[in-house]
Amino acid sequence: MELAATRSSQEMRRSDEFTHISELTHEGLPRKKAFIVIGINTAFSSRKRRDSIRQTWMPQGERLLQLEQEKGIIIRFMIGHSATSNNILDRAIDSEDSQHKDFLRLVVEFAMALQEAGCFFVVLECVLALVAAAATFALRILTIGIGVGPFCIGQVN
């Protein structure tokens, strides 16, 4: 899933969810700042793929936090929950997340948090059609779907 939005620094300060993203200034003048979330769709069984991404192009640790704070760019693996609450699959992802701190879970809830933070659109890519439908009906902002079925307001095939 990929989520992206742009908003003013005043709107950023209203957000409790993303308070670590601060206003950038150039020569003392306040500037508008991009706020971008790059979500990499993943599966429970894709640990090797995630490790490969971490080792090649995804910043880790302090570099990941610095990218968020200085540039307003958040990169995370996106995953839901297993069918059975708190089973071995969920615990494995929780353990991996505690080590790397690079997961976002619950797509719809996260999209709603972005909406409350002031984003004006959400792009949903490669998520289940049911998830895209749930996000579209839950949000007051534009949802754009890429390969997610007919339930988003805007479609790209």
Side-chain angles (χ1 to χ4, degrees), residues 61-115:
E62 276 301 310
R63 289 181 43 227
L64 186 63
L65 184 60
Q66 184 179 16
L67 184 65
E68 292 175 15
Q69 291 174 341
E70 293 177 7
K71 304 292 184 188
I73 301 171
I74 297 173
I75 304 173
R76 293 289 187 274
F77 292 107
M78 304 298 288
I79 194 164
H81 288 280
S82 63
T84 308
S85 173
N86 199 28
N87 73 11
I88 193 166
L89 296 173
D90 283 317
R91 289 193 305 269
I93 294 296
D94 290 342
S95 174
E96 188 178 343
D97 189 34
S98 69
Q99 178 184 2
H100 296 283
K101 302 197 182 333
D102 58 5
F103 278 93
L104 286 174
R105 296 185 90 171
L106 301 171
V107 172
V108 175
E109 287 83 351
F110 180 69
M112 291 181 76
L114 288 175
Q115 172 183 271

Side-chain angles (χ1 to χ4, degrees), residues 46-64:
S46 299
R47 175 69 190 250
K48 287 182 181 180
R49 178 178 172 261
R50 290 188 297 273
D51 286 342
S52 175
I53 290 170
R54 288 179 184 118
Q55 292 170 4
T56 54
W57 67 268
M58 184 177 180
Q60 292 296 291
E62 276 301 310
R63 289 181 43 227
L64 186 63

